Amino acid sequence: MPAGSRVMLVWGAANHDDREFADPERFDVERRAKRHPSFGHGVHFCMGSGLTRLEARLAFTEWLERFPGCALAGEPLRTTSAWARVFESIPLRLR
């Protein structure tokens, strides 16, 4: 990379590498990431990662207890964004 080159971080590319995931475009809440960019790595690893994982585990546990039959009710609709991979809607059927 030549000196003075412009470098851009594209957040929307995170966890979207077909070298890491067989089908990166597919919405899959059970997908397991071997390596994950969210908490950094090495000396820059996030100190709050344990708390974040605990909070997420508790939130999903509560959600699934309240809505045990929760399922997709249609195809998730993506929103075009230059910096994030986001959804405009994720239709759910709550039972």
Side-chain angles (χ1 to χ4, degrees), residues 14 24 79:
T79 295

Side-chain angles (χ1 to χ4, degrees), residues 76-80 85-91:
L77 179 61
R78 289 191 186 275
T79 295
T80 301
R85 290 177 46 80
V86 295
F87 292 89
E88 181 176 315
S89 68
I90 302 175

Side-chain angles (χ1 to χ4, degrees), residues 35-94:
R35 298 180 298 161
H36 198 285
S38 292
F39 298 121
H41 64 278
V43 297
H44 301 289
F45 192 77
C46 176
M47 289 174 45
S49 64
L51 178 59
T52 302
R53 287 185 172 118
L54 175 61
E55 289 174 336
R57 188 176 314 119
L58 291 171
F60 282 113
T61 298
E62 289 295 318
W63 176 270
L64 293 172
E65 283 179 10
R66 185 167 180 181
F67 305 108
C70 178
L72 282 175
E75 200 62 33
L77 179 61
R78 289 191 186 275
T79 295
T80 301
S81 170
W83 62 275
R85 290 177 46 80
V86 295
F87 292 89
E88 181 176 315
S89 68
I90 302 175
L92 295 176
R93 182 175 49 254
L94 304 178

